[in-house]
Amino acid sequence: QKEVEQDPGPLSVPEGAIVSLNCTYSNSAFQYFMWYRQYSRKGPELLMYTYSSGNKEDGRFTAQVDKSSKYISLFIRDSQPSDSATYLCAMSAGAGGTSYGKLTFGQGTILTVHP
Amino acid sequence: ETGVTQTPRHLVMGMTNKKSLKCEQHLGHNAMYWYKQSAKKPLELMFVYSLEERVENNSVPSRFSPECPNSSHLFLHLHTLQPEDSALYLCASSHDLEGASGTYEQYFGPGTRLTVT
């Protein structure tokens, strides 16, 4: 079983739709959760960061973490063609002792928002 | 130049060639990373450097050899690669090692698209 599972899609939605992207994970030690966005021919860039369970909102984006279900989500409201990209979830158990907070990534979901 | 830059952006090499990938970060960060990104697979962490010291070699074959001469530059030396090594190689940096200062943001370069023939 992979540590982090993410449906690769592709996902195609019309402009203005609400998009839901999800990841599940198996390592209960994960407590830091991130969403990265990767445009074509570019490297990933951090979009949202959440610690532990709960919701975080930033403009049209909402990140949700449910640690009891080991499930995280990213919602995009009023989606735009400029949101078309690959979205990668990433998570970490945090730094502790002699180890650093290594990131574990999902494989990414390809999203296309068409006008 | 700003952010993280990588050269070359595209590389085609034969299995017997030797080549090097270069990464430079202009952010004053202390940690740098090499990742491999293959289609339909998660990002695979290859190497991690903190203050020019390697802190992780994630079971990477010896045909990949990293070098970090200073905190701004990172190289990946390639030799006798296999066709399955064809992928996008991403370099990233962060202010400190992930979690060391309570942050988890990595800044990525655009990657080098490597094709091994």
Side-chain angles (χ1 to χ4, degrees):
Chain A
Q1 182 187 11
K2 293 179 187 173
E3 268 197 300
V4 179
E5 298 269 7
Q6 184 176 9
D7 185 341
L11 183 61
S12 181
V13 302
E15 184 175 355
I18 297 175
V19 176
S20 172
L21 304 168
N22 312 293
C23 287
T24 58
Y25 61 95
S26 57
N27 186 348
S28 57
F30 287 146
Q31 51 183 333
Y32 300 90
F33 304 92
M34 286 132 276
W35 287 95
Y36 279 80
R37 177 175 62 194
Q38 185 175 16
Y39 289 117
S40 180
R41 299 187 190 84
K42 296 278 183 75
E45 58 178 344
L46 183 65
L47 189 60
M48 298 284 283
Y49 162 76
T50 314
Y51 168 66
S52 194
S53 285
N55 292 0
K56 185 173 184 178
E57 190 173 316
D58 184 0
R60 296 184 294 109
F61 298 89
T62 300
Q64 214 168 64
V65 175
D66 181 350
K67 289 186 70 180
S68 61
S69 303
K70 297 191 180 68
Y71 187 88
I72 69 170
S73 301
L74 178 70
F75 298 96
I76 307 174
R77 290 184 299 282
D78 186 26
S79 56
Q80 303 295 310
S82 58
D83 296 326
S84 298
T86 299
Y87 289 81
L88 303 103
C89 62
M91 41 199 85
S92 171
T98 57
S99 69
Y100 71 102
K102 176 180 170 180
L103 293 185
T104 301
F105 286 84
Q107 67 180 93
T109 300
I110 299 170
L111 171 68
T112 301
V113 181
H114 51 87
Chain B
E1 293 276 18
T2 58
V4 180
T5 57
Q6 290 186 243
T7 53
R9 293 293 307 274
H10 300 272
L11 179 62
V12 179
M13 60 186 287
M15 292 167 61
T16 58
N17 290 159
K18 287 185 180 180
K19 295 286 184 183
S20 295
L21 310 184
K22 179 184 175 183
C23 174
E24 185 173 359
Q25 58 97 359
H26 310 266
L27 300 167
H29 288 170
N30 295 319
M32 296 188 77
Y33 311 78
W34 278 117
Y35 287 91
K36 176 183 178 183
Q37 187 174 37
S38 305
K40 297 187 171 41
K41 286 188 175 181
L43 279 178
E44 297 175 51
L45 180 65
M46 299 176 72
F47 300 104
V48 181
Y49 278 83
S50 174
L51 297 171
E52 302 137 51
E53 181 180 333
R54 192 191 309 179
V55 298
E56 177 142 0
N57 174 347
N58 204 25
S59 303
V60 179
S62 59
R63 57 186 185 270
F64 295 91
S65 175
E67 179 190 359
C68 187
N70 55 63
S71 59
S72 298
H73 294 86
L74 187 63
F75 294 89
L76 189 63
H77 303 299
L78 316 171
H79 64 97
T80 58
L81 294 191
Q82 306 297 311
E84 60 265 29
D85 297 323
S86 299
L88 181 69
Y89 287 85
L90 289 162
C91 173
S93 71
S94 61
H95 190 271
D96 294 298
L97 277 181
E98 293 297 5
S101 52
T103 61
Y104 291 84
E105 182 166 13
Q106 293 187 13
Y107 293 77
F108 285 84
T112 295
R113 174 68 62 186
L114 173 66
T115 303
V116 181
T117 60

